[in-house]
Amino acid sequence: VGGRGGAGVPGPGTTTAAAPPTSETTGVPSTRVDVTIDPTTPSAGVIEVEGTVTVPDGSHVNWALMRADEPELCPVDVPPEEDPCNAPYGSALVVDGGFAFRVDGVDPGDVEVFVAFDPTFGDQPVDVARRYGPLGVRMTGPQVVDYGGGAFRAQVPETVTVR
């Protein structure tokens, strides 16, 4: 408002700022990785998760469900069905920038849904290693963490209450 050019019109001697370059304008794939998740509990004992991730289609995200009341130390000499640390886990395929998974038979209570894109985990497309580098060292974004040994992943946790 105000100024010689009127509202929304630059005045003499001013320039408009160019938009920052993107992977679409430069032709160079972005190394930024963003993950979103929307966990829901549509019925008793069920968790459904839909999410988005800015990685190539055909990539995989890994996921795990962790109990809020999980003990600090896990037993080693018990069968899996009796192990309080035995968390359901898996991977989901990225299609059109999205992924989804469903877990049945979840005990009631608070559960942390953990989803991560790790370029070294599982069978990732060849393009993933080229884009993100060895151990994901070129990955960028606020969700990217070094999880040990110089290996990087983008991760997001969210707690839901299962009925």
Side-chain angles (χ1 to χ4, degrees):
V1 235
R4 294 182 143 185
V9 179
T14 62
T15 58
T16 56
T22 65
S23 59
E24 289 79 24
T25 60
T26 65
V28 177
S30 173
T31 58
R32 181 181 171 105
V33 178
D34 293 297
V35 183
T36 66
I37 60 173
D38 182 23
T40 60
T41 56
S43 58
V46 176
I47 293 179
E48 292 181 344
V49 178
E50 291 184 0
T52 62
V53 61
T54 56
V55 299
D57 282 349
S59 298
H60 293 86
V61 294
N62 52 319
W63 59 266
L65 304 182
M66 292 170 273
R67 302 295 314 184
D69 58 356
E70 183 175 294
E72 284 188 41
L73 296 175
C74 296
V76 291
D77 295 329
V78 297
E81 62 275 3
E82 295 175 20
D83 183 353
C85 301
N86 188 18
Y89 64 93
S91 67
L93 181 66
V94 177
V95 177
D96 293 330
F99 61 89
F101 60 92
R102 175 186 169 113
V103 183
D104 296 304
V106 181
D107 291 335
D110 289 340
V111 175
E112 181 181 84
V113 177
F114 175 87
V115 176
F117 171 71
D118 181 341
T120 65
F121 181 84
D123 186 23
Q124 301 289 13
V126 174
D127 180 33
V128 166
R130 283 195 297 261
R131 180 181 296 191
Y132 303 113
L135 303 177
V137 296
R138 289 195 296 266
M139 289 175 52
T140 61
Q143 297 167 323
V144 175
V145 298
D146 179 337
Y147 67 95
F152 293 82
R153 67 181 172 212
Q155 62 186 40
V156 60
E158 188 169 325
T159 301
V160 296
T161 301
V162 178
R163 356 184 214 122

